[in-house]
Amino acid sequence: MKKVHVLVLKAFFKPFIVTFFIVMFVLLMLFLFKYIDDLIGKGFEWYVILELLWYASAAQISMAMPLAMLLSSIMTFGNLGESYELVAIKAAGISLRKAMMPLIILVGLISVGSFFFSDYILPITNLKMGSLLYDVRNKKADFLIKDGIFNNSIPGYSIRAQNKSKDGTVLYNLIIYQHGNISTGTNVLLAKEGVMYNSRDNNYMILKLKDGVRYEESTAGDRSYNPRQQFTRYYFEQTEQKFDMSTFQMKRTDEDLFKSHSMMLNLKQLRYYTDSTTKMLDSIRGTIFREIKSNYKIFNSYQAAQNKPVEAGGPLKTYNKSFEEIIPDDKRIVAVNNSLTDIRYIKEVLEMKSKSDKDFDLSIVRYILEYHKKFTLAVSCLLLFSIGAPLGAIIRKGGLGLPVVMAIIFFLIYHIISTVAEKSAKEGNIDPILGTWTAIIVLTPLGIFLTYKAATDSSIFDVESYKTAVSKFFGRMLDLIRKRFGKKQLS
């Protein structure tokens, strides 16, 4: 390996690591902003939040890797161009392609590694994050008493405190409504003070009440007037009320319920689910006519008669008769009602089958999209490097100014095209394979063009060169017109 190759590798490695972690940090902040309402006020332990962020960071690599590749390549060759090191390399007789060859090999290895990551590690990460995020979002918020407001979060109870202490453990002027069945009665409890604390296993919340009264109402089983209806009143100096808090604890869902999702499958599993779902869809489509065939009575009679020999009354002859001539007047209303019933049944069956058909078809499209996205992650790293490296050599600007702007512009173009194409594929407007590779297909000519311009030292952002090319084009067109029509006709 030549010193030039070591220079280029060192110039690329540091910006790549820095930009990768910067992009990861930004994506994690966006993830937190998206789910901040589901995380605040639920009393999660620190390791639950840390575990969720760990899985989220691994899942964001598929977006962070291409963006870091694009940004670091622009910065690397922008710095080399700004410090005239690219000029020195070319002056030494080494072409840009030869100087970039070890870096191209390194990027290729990173792309292959990203493919294996998306096939083996990313499905497991998505499964872990998806199941944990589902449990986090479905966990109820912690029990919180606000001054003067009834809290109904505990099943069967409504609790209100007029005010509370600064630490929130002591409640004053409490009212507790216990909503029970009609037969068991309705209880109301009033207390001047209540101290709130949890049991040792945190499954129960205990209120230690002082100086209060408890009202109980019990009936025989209905809300009508009953002379046997009883009202009971108890005074107490101190008592305890226990509340079940199991509904506030986070319960982990079985991960097997999420394993069939397309984002949580590897290539082998995606092929299996695609084939099995396709067979199920074909089976559903094949059974539609058998379910509604019996409601086509004329068709069934015609088929039965056509299969009979001539001596037995078949096949049927064709008559040019109207509906009124075939069916008698006294049976016409019955025939119309039977036909409407058959039509309604056929319509309901077709609507139900069409919904199932659409769901299965959408599942197949998602499996195909996710299958090809395993490959597009690796290819996108190579593509964005082929755009960023020559672009940095052309603009010859390093740092975090212009390179960041150019990287964001090109990445947004790639991301928007990819998102729109995938959405169109899910809606059935384009083929799912084409939807996955559209962004690659659109931007590949741009990468080839920029690579050619950088290898030939063309000034792509030089306005004068474009003016000269346009003037030459119109000059040639004018010469051709003059030769064709002559000077006299033009004058």
Side-chain angles (χ1 to χ4, degrees), residues 18 35 77 138 201 234 285 308 323 391 419 445 489:
V18 172
Y35 296 104
F77 287 90
N138 284 282
D201 56 1
Y234 300 98
R285 290 175 176 176
K308 290 182 180 180
F323 175 77
L391 188 62
T419 304
Q489 294 180 0

Side-chain angles (χ1 to χ4, degrees), residues 366-398:
R366 287 177 176 174
Y367 291 141
I368 296 175
L369 286 173
E370 196 63 32
Y371 182 89
H372 286 273
K373 283 172 70 175
K374 307 287 187 185
F375 299 94
T376 55
L377 174 60
V379 177
S380 63
C381 292
L382 291 172
L383 174 63
L384 294 179
F385 174 78
S386 66
I387 293 175
L391 188 62
I394 292 172
I395 62 177
R396 297 177 183 177
K397 292 289 183 181

Side-chain angles (χ1 to χ4, degrees), residues 15-28 64 71 400:
F16 176 73
I17 297 297
V18 172
T19 54
F20 177 77
F21 283 104
I22 290 175
V23 172
M24 286 294 298
F25 177 77
V26 173
L27 293 177
L28 279 180
L71 181 56
L400 294 174

